[in-house]
Amino acid sequence: MDLPLLQFDSTGAGMYSPSAPKLSEPWPERAVLCFFREQIAALVERGAARRVGRFTVEMGGHDIYITEDSAGERVALFHPTVGAPTAVHHLERAIAGGVRSFVVCGGTGALVELAMGHVVVPSGAIRDEGTSFHYAPPGVSIDTDPDVVDALVALLEEQSVPHAVGLTWTTDAPFRETPAMVAARRDQGCLLVEMEASALLAAARFRGVRLGLLLYAGDDLSGGKWDLRNWTASDARARLLPLAIEATGRF
C-alpha cells in the first residue's frame, strides 16, 4: 500500500516557510517548551518571567515569555500545546526566531512501574504519530542526540534527582492506547507514553537544532487498569521546570 505518510520528501523547502512571532525583545537562542501552564503562571506571578509576545490566535494565541537561568542568561518559555502537529508548529516558529537549543518538560503516562513524579530522560521515541514522517524518512523510532541525553543526565545527577533513561511511545490517539498496544510498546522498551516527543525530535533534527526532553511519570498504564493518580497535581512539575531552564544551557 502506497501510503502518503510514507512518501517523505527530503528535497527541502515547503510551499511557505515558518515565521517567528515578533517579540518586544530579541529571541534568545535557548527555549523551554513547558506543558505546565500553572508553573509558567507561577514564574510570572513572582516576577521571574515576563511576557514578550504571543503566537497567532489561529494556533491558540499562547503567550511567549522570557525567563533567566541561574547565571542570568535569557531563555524563552512557552506552552507548545498538546499534540504533535501543533507542538511542532510552535517549535518551527521559535526556530525561525533564532532559537537553537530546546528542552521540553512535560508529564507522561507510565508504561512500567514508576513512582509518580519520577523523572525520565527519553533516549528516543517510537513514532506512532504522523508529523515526524514529514521531517524524517519512514522508520520505527527516532533517537535523541546522545550528547543531549548525557548533558541532561549529568544535570540530574548534579542535582541528585532520581531518574531513568529509556524510550517513550509517541501516539496521536490516547484513547486508542489498548492493552495490546501498551504491551507491544513495553516489549519495545518504552517506559512512557505521550503525544509529541518523536515529532519534536524529528523536526529539530531536520532543522539542525538541538532538543532534549525532561519528562515525569504521571498517570499509570503499567497494570491491568489505567490509574489517573491525580498526576497533574504532582509536585514534580514545580521541580522540573527550573531544571529544564538550566538544561537549555548544557548542550
Side-chain angles (χ1 to χ4, degrees), residues 89-155:
H89 180 97
H90 288 79
L91 177 76
E92 282 270 36
R93 300 199 68 195
I95 294 170
V99 181
R100 291 296 175 266
S101 176
F102 294 88
V103 173
V104 180
C105 69
T108 65
L111 300 183
V112 299
E113 291 187 14
L114 290 169
M116 187 173 69
H118 195 82
V119 176
V120 176
V121 178
S123 56
I126 299 296
R127 299 167 64 188
D128 193 13
E129 42 68 42
T131 305
S132 69
F133 290 85
H134 299 277
Y135 288 89
V140 173
S141 64
I142 186 161
D143 294 333
T144 311
D145 184 330
D147 290 342
V148 172
V149 173
D150 289 346
L152 296 178
V153 168
L155 174 62

Side-chain angles (χ1 to χ4, degrees), residues 111 128 169 176-186:
L111 300 183
D128 193 13
W169 166 30
R176 294 299 300 150
E177 293 168 8
T178 65
M181 286 293 190
V182 169
R185 299 292 86 79
R186 191 184 295 120

